[in-house]
Amino acid sequence: MIWETVRLSLRSIRRNVLRSFLTLLGIVIGVAAVIAMLTIGSGTTEKVKADISKLGSNLLVVRAGRPAGPGGPGGLDQAVRPLAEKDVAALVAHLSGARAISPASQKQVRVIFGTESLTSGVTGTDSAYLDARDWKLVSGRPFSDSETRAGTGVCLIGETVRQQFFGAGDPEGEIIRVNRTSCKIIGLLEPKGYTGFGQDQDNVVLMPLHAYQRRIAGNRDIDNIYIAADDRTPTTELQPRVEDILRDTRRITPDRDPDFAIRDMTQIADAMTSATTTMTGMLGAVAGVSLLVGGIGIMNIMLVSVTERTREIGIRLAIGAHEKHILIQFLVEATVLSLLGGIIGILIGLSLAGLASMALTIPFAPSPAVVLLAVGFSALIGMVFGFFPALRGARLDPIDALRHE
Amino acid sequence: MSAPLLITFDKVWKSYGEGEARVHALAGVDLAIRRSEFVAIMGPSGSGKSTAMNIIGCLDTPTAGTYSFMGVDAGRLDRNRRALLRNLYVGFVFQGYNLLPRSTAAENVELPLIYRGVAARERRELAMQALAQVGLVGREHHTPAELSGGQQQRVAIARAIVTRPTLLVADEPTGNLDTARTHEIMELLTTLNAELGLSIVMVTHEADVADYAGRIVRFLDGHVASDTLKAEEAA
C-alpha cells in the first residue's frame, strides 16, 4: 500500500516536471544553504583548532603588562617593568609541572644573504623554545647551552627564509646578516604554514637570546616567557603556580594587580573554537529560514494539487478509499517531493562547501550527522507542510468532489 | 420476488438550507429494493432522483428517516464506515466515466482493489477477468484518452464489478453515448444483472434506457410518483 502510494506520487511528480522542479527549488536552496554553511563552518573550526595547536598545545605565554579585560589582547603597557632573566630563572627553579620554559623576544628585522633580502620575524630565545612550541628541526641541531649563554652568532631558520635565500638548497653552515650582525645557520625548522590570521609562521629566524639582546634589541628585556605544561598537568593548574612564582620574584603583594599577563593558549583555542561554532550555528539558522520558506512553497503547490485533483479524489472516495488513504497519498507526495529536494540540496550544498574549502584553504569537513539531519528535516518539512493540504483533500465530500470540473 | 431486501428507505428526508430557504430534495420517501433487481430511477431534474441515488450508494446520508443497506442502518454511519461499505458492496458507474486520465485501463480497474489491500498479482488477475467480462481484452494498457466513449464506460463498469459488489449504482451511464453504444452498454448491464445476479440501480431520464430495467421508479418533487414492475406493465 505505501509502496504503491510512493510509486503513485513519483508518477504525479514526473507528470509535472517543471512545476515539481520549481516547488523543489525552495527546499533545494534551503538544504544546500544549510549544508554548505554547516560544512564550511566545521571546516573553519577545524582550521582554527589546527592553527592554534600549531602555536603549541598546553602552552602558557607570559608577557609584561597588566592583563587586559577577559579575552582581550594583553596589551603592553609602556610604564610597566619588562620581564627579565631572573623571572625565567625563578620559574625554572621553582615551577613544577612544566615540560619546558623558554624566554623569547621578537622583532621584525631585515635579513640579508648575498644580494637577497627579506624582512623576517627574528626571535631571541634558548634551546628550550623548540620544545615549548612543539617545533622540530628538519636538519641541523638546536643551540647548545654554551651558545645560549655566550650569545654566539648562530641561528635556525624557517622554511620561507630558506626558500628565499637558498631555494631547495642546504642552508647549513651559510652565514646570513641579521640587522648588522652576522649569523651562522646551524639548522632548518620544520614548516608550520600560515596561521588562520594570515601570518607566515615559517618566515622566522631564531637566535640565542643573548645574541638577540646585545646585537638587535639593544636591551636585556624579555617579551614573552613560553611555558609548556607536561602531560599530567592541565594549564589551568599551572597558571596559578606561574603567577605565584612571578609575584614573588617581582615582589607584587597579593593585594595588588600583577604587572604581567599569563595567556593560556588552550583557553584561547577553546574561545576561538566556540566563536566559530556559534558563527556556524547562526549562519545555519539563517539558512534554515530559507528551508521554512521552501516548506511554504511545498504547501502552496500541494494545495493547488489537491484542488486540481478534486475530481480524482472524488472518484477514489466513491470507489471506497478511506479518508486516510487520501491523506497518506498526498502526505507521501509532499514528503517524496521535499525529500527529493533535500537530496538534490545536499549534493549542491556539499559541492559548494567543497569549492569553498578549496578557495579558502580550509579542510572539507562534511558531517554525516548534518547530512542525515538535512534528509530528516526535509522529509519532516514535507510532512508538516503537506499535512494541511492533504487533510483538506481527505475531508472532501465525495459528491461535491465528483461534481467538481 | 422472494429475494431478500437489499435497500429500504423508511420516510427518508433530505433537506438543504435553513429556514425560509430550506429545500426538501427528498420528502419522506419509502422505497424497498430486493437483491438482484434491476431498477431504473427516472424523473425530471430536481425531482430528487440524484439525491436518492447518492443515498443508495452510501455517498450521502438522509436528514431524517432511515436508510438501511443490507440490513445496516447506513444513514447513521460515519464517512469512513460508509467508505468501507462502498468498497465492499457497491460499484459506481458515472455518466462522465470518471476514470483516472493518466492511468491505463487495467490500473483504473485495479484501483478499488488497492483500497481493499489486495496483493498486486491478484489485483492484476482480477482486473483482467473484469476487463474480459466487459469485452475489453487487449485494451488493458490503453489510457482513457486512447479509448472511445463506449470503451471508457466499459472500463468504468469493469472497475465497478472487479470487487464483485452486491449493488451497482449507475448515474446516467449512457448519457454521453450514441444509440449504438448505449445499446451495447445496456446489454452488458442486463447480462451482468442476469448472469451474476448483480443488483443494479440506474438513474436515467431516457425512457428507452429505462426499459432495459425490470422496474422503473419515477421521482417527482421529492416523492416516489410511480413504481412499476415490467412484469406488471406487460400484464
Side-chain angles (χ1 to χ4, degrees), chain A residues 1 4 11 15 311-312 315-323 325 329 394-399 402-403, chain B residues 54 59-60 79-80 83-84 86-87 92 94 96 98-100 102-103 107 111-112 114-115 120 123 159:
Chain A
M1 180 71 214
E4 205 68 47
R11 196 159 58 181
R15 199 182 295 156
R311 200 180 176 85
E312 176 192 324
I315 298 169
R316 290 176 184 274
L317 286 171
I319 64 174
H322 202 275
E323 227 173 82
H325 291 135
Q329 182 189 337
R395 290 275 164 85
L396 281 174
D397 179 11
I399 300 169
L402 277 172
R403 228 179 265 145
Chain B
N54 286 337
L59 285 169
D60 209 350
R79 47 184 272 144
N80 283 323
L84 191 65
R86 289 198 294 273
N87 188 272
F92 284 90
F94 306 93
N98 279 343
L99 301 174
L100 298 187
R102 270 116 178 165
S103 303
E107 284 167 343
L111 199 58
I114 291 180
Y115 294 125
R123 268 195 334 246
R159 182 181 65 189

Side-chain angles (χ1 to χ4, degrees), chain A residues 334-357:
Chain A
T335 308
V336 167
L337 206 60
S338 65
L339 253 182
L340 218 62
I343 290 165
I344 298 172
I346 286 166
L347 295 179
I348 293 177
L350 286 180
S351 323
L352 282 178
L355 287 176
S357 62

Side-chain angles (χ1 to χ4, degrees), chain B residues 39-142:
Chain B
V39 180
I41 295 181
M42 298 191 70
S45 46
S47 62
K49 62 181 193 300
S50 292
T51 309
M53 187 205 68
N54 286 337
I55 292 175
I56 289 171
C58 302
L59 285 169
D60 209 350
T61 54
T63 316
T66 310
Y67 169 61
S68 334
F69 178 78
M70 297 179 74
V72 177
D73 189 353
R76 306 268 183 283
L77 296 179
D78 65 28
R79 47 184 272 144
N80 283 323
R81 292 224 170 80
R82 279 184 282 120
L84 191 65
L85 268 190
R86 289 198 294 273
N87 188 272
L88 292 176
Y89 301 113
V90 187
F92 284 90
V93 176
F94 306 93
Q95 177 177 2
Y97 324 131
N98 279 343
L99 301 174
L100 298 187
R102 270 116 178 165
S103 303
T104 65
E107 284 167 343
N108 265 291
V109 176
E110 280 181 46
L111 199 58
L113 298 174
I114 291 180
Y115 294 125
R116 271 194 184 190
V118 177
R121 182 178 305 196
E122 199 186 339
R123 268 195 334 246
R124 183 66 26 150
E125 267 170 36
L126 289 170
M128 288 309 170
Q129 279 175 28
L131 282 168
Q133 274 178 303
V134 299
L136 276 183
V137 176
R139 302 289 167 133
E140 54 269 13
H141 297 303
H142 290 56

